[in-house]
């Protein structure tokens, strides 16, 4: 996601800790992100669900646009003006894709090896989430540009954080020390950069994206998992990611 560039400004305060990195500020641990762990309302009401789910079928042809929303509304049996239900327009469609694909992870991933380690599970889950972008990958740079718009950045960052937390949770991470935060910060940066790389990947079945993801994992292992090292690495990755997006015409 393009919004990872904002991490470079506050990687410690948002994802790790406050001044001196001594007290958590980003309270992911206390949030009930796991809908199957606690009863929570559906993220979208029935009308929104019907229109947005139908609209996704038009993304390959029309992109993440009002046109796709309008066509989806018609397919779902609503008037075209029903798109007024979505005040953020195309971003609401992007966000629907992000949220529903995150929530679908728990049902899509089946581990062939029962004794698979946490790290291997994290990789499997992250690659599975990336694979959900395959049908619309030719439109994903549009989505990144929409997410990078200032009014959409807070929601985009929050959803990226939820995805990272979800992946570590489903992988069985039980850490309770400061590494809980650094793991999620580093995974957010790795995943975001892999999404951008994937939009340029022409290899069969996106095999180069998987290799890129592996290399970024090795990078973070090499720098270590201390708050200072992760913050430095995220800062470097954020700059690199921003430059790639700008070279592709994405305004950040």
């Amino acid at each position: 996601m393009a919004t990872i560039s904002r991490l470079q400004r506050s990687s410690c305060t948002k994802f790790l800790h406050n001044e001196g990195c001594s007290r958590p500020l980003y309270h992911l641990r206390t949030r009930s992100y796991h809908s199957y762990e606690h009863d929570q309302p559906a993220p979208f009401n029935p009308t929104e669900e019907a229109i947005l789910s139908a609209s996704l079928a038009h993304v390959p042809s029309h992109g993440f646009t009002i046109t796709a929303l309008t066509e989806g509304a018609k397919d779902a049996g609503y008037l075209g003006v029903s798109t007024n239900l979505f005040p953020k327009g195309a971003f609401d469609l992007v966000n629907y894709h992000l949220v529903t694909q995150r929530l679908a992870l728990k049902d899509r991933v089946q581990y062939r090896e029962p004794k698979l380690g946490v790290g291997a599970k994290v990789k499997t889950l992250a690659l599975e989430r990336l694979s959900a972008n395959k049908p619309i990958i030719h439109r994903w740079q549009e989505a990144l540009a929409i997410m990078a718009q200032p009014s959409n950045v807070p929601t985009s960052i929050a959803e990226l954080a939820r995805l990272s937390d979800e992946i570590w949770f489903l992988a069985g991470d039980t850490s309770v020390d400061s590494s809980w935060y650094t793991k999620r910060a580093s995974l957010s940066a790795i995943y975001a950069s892999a999404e951008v790389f994937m939009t340029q990947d022409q290899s069969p079945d996106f095999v180069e994206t998987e290799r890129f993801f592996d290399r970024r994992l090795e990078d973070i292992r090499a720098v270590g998992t201390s708050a200072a090292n992760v913050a430095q690495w995220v800062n470097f990755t954020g700059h690199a990611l921003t430059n790639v997006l700008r070279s592709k015409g994405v305004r950040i």
Side-chain angles (χ1 to χ4, degrees):
M1 297 180 187
T3 54
I4 194 65
S5 60
R6 271 64 182 185
L7 292 179
Q8 63 193 22
R9 300 178 182 175
S10 54
S11 58
C12 184
T13 56
K14 285 185 179 294
F15 284 95
L16 307 177
H17 301 83
N18 66 349
E19 296 180 3
C21 292
S22 59
R23 180 169 58 87
L25 282 181
Y26 201 71
H27 295 298
L28 287 176
R29 192 65 169 178
T30 62
R31 297 183 183 182
S32 301
Y33 286 161
H34 315 294
S35 57
Y36 44 90
E37 190 178 33
H38 304 287
D39 291 332
Q40 292 191 22
F44 306 97
N45 66 44
T47 300
E48 292 171 338
E49 176 70 32
I51 295 175
L52 290 169
S53 60
S55 298
L56 280 182
H58 295 279
V59 169
S61 298
H62 300 292
F64 288 92
T65 62
I66 292 296
T67 300
L69 277 172
T70 300
E71 294 301 317
K74 294 176 181 178
D75 290 349
Y78 295 89
L79 297 174
V81 294
S82 298
T83 55
N84 291 331
L85 292 172
F86 308 103
K88 292 189 176 182
F91 179 70
D92 283 321
L93 185 54
V94 174
N95 188 58
Y96 177 80
H97 174 76
L98 297 176
V99 172
T100 53
Q101 292 302 327
R102 168 174 56 83
L103 295 177
L105 273 179
K106 67 182 179 66
D107 297 319
R108 283 213 310 261
V109 175
Q110 301 294 326
Y111 303 112
R112 297 179 181 179
E113 300 178 27
K115 295 184 179 181
L116 206 62
V118 171
K121 289 180 180 179
V122 165
K123 175 185 172 180
T124 299
L125 287 159
L127 291 177
E128 178 61 30
R129 172 59 191 87
L130 285 169
S131 72
N133 287 350
K134 289 180 181 179
I136 44 85
I137 195 61
H138 61 295
R139 296 292 188 178
W140 199 243
Q141 284 188 16
E142 300 171 15
L144 294 173
I146 293 170
M147 285 186 277
Q149 294 175 11
S151 61
N152 299 331
V153 166
T155 302
S156 300
I157 287 180
E159 182 54 37
L160 175 60
R162 291 187 183 99
L163 174 63
S164 180
D165 184 43
E166 186 84 355
I167 288 174
W168 278 106
F169 177 84
L170 293 175
D173 178 49
T174 59
S175 59
V176 294
D177 56 10
S178 61
S179 69
W180 190 95
Y181 297 92
T182 57
K183 288 175 181 177
R184 282 151 180 79
S186 57
L187 179 59
S188 292
I190 293 171
Y191 180 84
S193 59
E195 272 200 334
V196 175
F197 183 92
M198 189 175 178
T199 65
Q200 307 166 71
D201 187 359
Q202 300 297 317
S203 64
D205 201 29
F206 299 96
V207 64
E208 288 301 327
T209 295
E210 180 174 352
R211 291 170 180 167
F212 174 87
F213 190 86
D214 284 339
R215 291 195 297 271
R216 297 293 79 77
L217 285 177
E218 289 302 318
D219 288 345
I220 196 61
R221 291 191 185 103
V223 301
T225 57
S226 72
N229 285 343
V230 169
Q232 183 180 20
W233 184 84
V234 168
N235 181 60
F236 172 80
T237 302
H239 278 296
L241 180 56
T242 299
N243 291 335
V244 169
L245 288 171
R246 284 174 175 164
S247 71
K248 290 295 180 178
V250 175
R251 296 182 179 178
I252 300 179

